[in-house]
Amino acid sequence: LFTALDNQGIFVYEEMWINTGVTPAGSYVSLNGTQASLVIVTTDGVEARDPDDLSLLDQPISDLIAEPADAVRDADGQWWVGDATNGLISDWSGVFASYSPSGPASSNIFNIRYLRDSIYILTGGFSTNVQPLGRGTGIHLFANGEWVNRYSTASFSGFSDFTDVAVMPASEDIYYASAGDGLLRVSGNTTEIIDENTPGSPLVNPEAPFRGLVIPGLATGTDGVWMINYNSPTPVVRLSPDGVWTAFSVPVSLARFAVQIELYGDLVWLRIAPSRGGGIVVFQPATNEARYLNMAPGNGSLPSMRVNDMQLDKDGFLWLGTDAGVTVIANPFTISGDINAVEPVFEGRPLLIDEEVTAIEVDGGNRKWIGTRSGAWLFDPAADELILRFTSSASPLPSDDIIAIEIDGKKGEVFFGTPAGLVSYRADATEGTSEHQQVKIFPNPVRRDFQGSVGISGLANDVEIKITDSAGRLVFRTRSNGGTASWDITNEKLQTGIYMVFSATSDGSETFIGKIAIIR
């Protein structure tokens, strides 16, 4: 019987505990014993020793062994290592390789962003009191059908609690925000941490010398990357593409407690932390004017001061998620005059008035995806009609508590972040363009055992779709959701044959003709 004590070594029990004198480096994580070997896992690595004399049998070396949590050595002497960063690692094929399921490396989710045809999962974040959570699980990137874990504590020290990501205009540089460590700039294969000690940086750490440089959110404008410097006298900061910093002191004191930043026209919209009073500050940098929106008529008319998310739709309306449902501001591009949020009405009541709305996203068809503490909802563009409802009891949603929602506009895939992990749903709306681009019809042919909807993607934005049989008789008619349309054939009494798909924009400038083969 063996045991391990940090800073003392490996002990063996022979009527009493005896120190073997073996002291592997690092703190002990696990011991795994067989008749052939004693496997010792520490924070510094893995090794196998002879159980009789504790002589070293093997010590696997691989960059993939970053955070070993457990390990075994099988009868053939091959290693199987469970690693917190790289999943299951083994040399059974002759070289060490990682065998991980297709998914994020951890279930920590704070924010989700879609940038440059990729999904970024930010796993850090802050508490309701805007204190760093101490998460070092980094970023999970989903691109080209594969998941990659980046910049975790194991692979990139000195930066954790990722909160947001943005791309600098006219550049390939990516900027990551942190709750505690400032900014991480990634340019090609080089990385740089930008904080209050970086030459030229106006960023302020109000908790210095402790981890207190909290940047809750980023936004990209044509003039650079904008950010929030939480609890700073200059809470709004811009970094231009040519590297020029500008820090703004907003003439509303609550602006220093902003946790979300959005750019609408020449205005900066700041969502204030509910723990600091909530509401919204609208700031115009060019004139240094600012306005605090709250529950007062003419000055916001918000249904609640606890605003949890902001999202602009394709009609220029600003949708706000609060702990008393959803409300909409008609013109978020002006700071003057009366500003009154209006609550959409659904089934005779204000939309989701009994729900705490945590996230809002708008898809290519201008439909509203809304996350709450009791699941996710999909409404039509005006929120007059409920299209879908997801709960953990009636769908693969791992939890009813929705933390974040993000949409891959090209594929129409909707990602839901929850405390129990991530799940995605392939929806029937994509971001359309002014032209038809590589229109695809799937499945095609439609075989007799198929049950579901035929999807048509790559369409021009908001086009009319007509489907006829070979004799020209109309069998289906609809409009696309952005660049995608669907045809539910489960209830259609269709015969075997070739069906024609016709698509055209309202002015007839863009058209498409395709065929669907149906086998019954």
Side-chain angles (χ1 to χ4, degrees):
L1 180 64
F2 294 91
T3 190
L5 297 177
D6 283 344
N7 303 317
Q8 296 188 51
I10 305 295
F11 289 74
V12 62
Y13 189 76
E14 297 176 356
E15 297 186 354
M16 60 181 297
W17 287 106
I18 300 172
N19 193 331
T20 64
V22 175
T23 56
S27 299
Y28 294 106
V29 177
S30 73
L31 295 179
N32 216 319
T34 67
Q35 289 186 345
S37 63
L38 174 68
V39 175
I40 304 168
V41 181
T42 74
T43 53
D44 280 11
V46 179
E47 60 184 47
R49 290 183 176 267
D50 189 308
D52 295 326
D53 59 11
L54 291 188
S55 58
L56 186 65
L57 298 176
D58 194 8
Q59 189 171 23
I61 303 298
S62 171
D63 291 339
L64 293 173
I65 304 176
E67 291 182 276
D70 203 357
V72 295
R73 190 167 177 258
D74 64 22
D76 296 324
Q78 294 167 333
W79 284 98
W80 300 86
V81 181
D83 189 86
T85 297
N86 295 312
L88 180 65
I89 301 165
S90 178
D91 62 346
W92 71 274
S93 64
V95 295
F96 279 100
S98 174
Y99 302 91
S100 299
S102 180
S106 80
S107 59
N108 292 334
I109 298 172
F110 178 78
N111 196 3
I112 310 174
R113 290 291 194 190
Y114 175 67
L115 293 172
R116 303 194 311 178
D117 298 334
S118 301
I119 289 289
Y120 292 78
I121 308 296
L122 292 309
T123 69
F126 47 84
S127 67
T128 55
N129 293 323
V130 197
Q131 295 297 313
L133 295 176
R135 292 176 175 173
T137 41
I139 302 158
H140 309 319
L141 176 65
F142 182 54
N144 301 318
E146 295 184 357
W147 286 92
V148 179
N149 188 46
R150 292 184 176 176
Y151 308 122
S152 67
T153 298
S155 59
F156 192 88
S157 61
F159 202 90
S160 59
D161 283 318
F162 288 86
T163 59
D164 210 346
V165 59
V167 177
M168 181 65 74
S171 168
E172 292 298 311
D173 292 355
I174 303 177
Y175 289 83
Y176 297 98
S178 163
D181 297 315
L183 280 178
L184 176 65
R185 173 178 171 268
V186 180
S187 180
N189 294 323
T190 65
T191 59
E192 175 192 11
I193 294 177
I194 302 173
D195 57 21
E196 71 274 16
N197 298 315
T198 302
S201 164
L203 298 174
V204 175
N205 181 359
E207 305 293 333
F210 304 105
R211 285 186 69 234
L213 181 47
V214 176
I215 300 181
L218 303 173
T220 299
T222 57
D223 52 358
V225 172
W226 293 70
M227 65 201 75
I228 301 166
N229 189 170
Y230 187 81
N231 199 15
S232 164
T234 52
V236 175
V237 179
R238 181 187 66 212
L239 176 61
S240 69
D242 57 359
V244 176
W245 290 91
T246 307
F248 300 89
S249 58
V250 182
V252 172
S253 59
L254 280 177
R256 68 190 300 156
F257 303 121
V259 291
Q260 182 181 356
I261 180 171
E262 302 293 344
L263 307 177
Y264 304 132
D266 62 349
L267 300 180
V268 177
W269 283 68
L270 303 169
R271 180 171 63 85
I272 308 305
S275 61
R276 292 290 192 164
I280 293 172
V281 171
V282 186
F283 174 53
Q284 190 168 43
T287 62
N288 199 39
E289 294 179 85
R291 186 169 178 180
Y292 180 50
L293 303 184
N294 48 44
M295 298 176 69
N299 200 49
S301 194
L302 302 176
S304 169
M305 294 298 290
R306 296 183 64 88
V307 181
N308 299 316
D309 198 11
M310 303 185 291
Q311 183 66 41
L312 190 73
D313 76 3
K314 297 184 181 302
D315 293 325
F317 297 136
L318 182 60
W319 292 66
L320 308 177
T322 78
D323 68 346
V326 178
T327 193
V328 180
I329 293 177
N331 187 5
F333 302 98
T334 181
I335 197 172
S336 60
D338 285 352
I339 298 178
N340 290 300
V342 178
E343 295 167 277
V345 176
F346 175 68
E347 295 183 342
R349 305 180 68 219
L351 182 63
L352 301 179
I353 188 173
D354 298 324
E355 300 284 345
E356 180 181 354
V357 176
T358 56
I360 299 180
E361 277 296 321
V362 176
D363 68 15
N366 204 27
R367 304 180 303 178
K368 309 317 187 277
W369 293 84
I370 300 175
T372 71
R373 301 292 184 190
S374 59
W377 314 64
L378 171 62
F379 289 92
D380 70 346
D384 294 329
E385 177 188 351
L386 176 62
I387 301 172
L388 291 172
R389 171 83 193 279
F390 295 124
T391 63
S392 58
S393 60
S395 77
L397 200 66
S399 168
D400 287 334
D401 188 359
I402 306 299
I403 296 173
I405 301 175
E406 185 61 297
I407 300 173
D408 180 333
K410 286 190 175 181
K411 298 177 181 177
E413 192 169 4
V414 184
F415 292 80
F416 301 92
T418 79
L422 183 77
V423 69
S424 70
Y425 174 78
R426 183 60 63 88
D428 57 354
T430 57
E431 293 292 337
T433 64
S434 59
E435 301 176 347
H436 291 84
Q437 296 183 344
Q438 298 180 334
V439 178
K440 295 180 181 179
I441 302 173
F442 183 84
N444 193 12
V446 180
R447 304 189 183 278
R448 58 175 54 89
D449 57 349
F450 177 76
Q451 296 293 321
S453 296
V454 174
I456 309 170
S457 62
L459 300 167
N461 190 51
D462 193 28
V463 293
E464 185 177 25
I465 308 292
K466 293 181 181 180
I467 298 178
T468 70
D469 62 16
S470 58
R473 290 184 291 265
L474 183 69
V475 296
F476 182 71
R477 183 176 187 171
T478 188
R479 295 199 74 85
S480 66
N481 288 313
T484 298
S486 61
W487 177 24
D488 185 356
I489 65 170
T490 54
N491 296 320
E492 300 282 357
K493 296 180 180 179
L494 301 172
Q495 302 297 320
T496 296
I498 301 297
Y499 291 78
M500 304 299 296
V501 179
F502 300 92
S503 168
T505 55
S506 57
D507 61 2
S509 61
E510 269 293 317
T511 61
F512 168 78
I513 300 176
K515 297 179 181 180
I516 304 175
I518 294 181
I519 303 171
R520 287 303 194 211

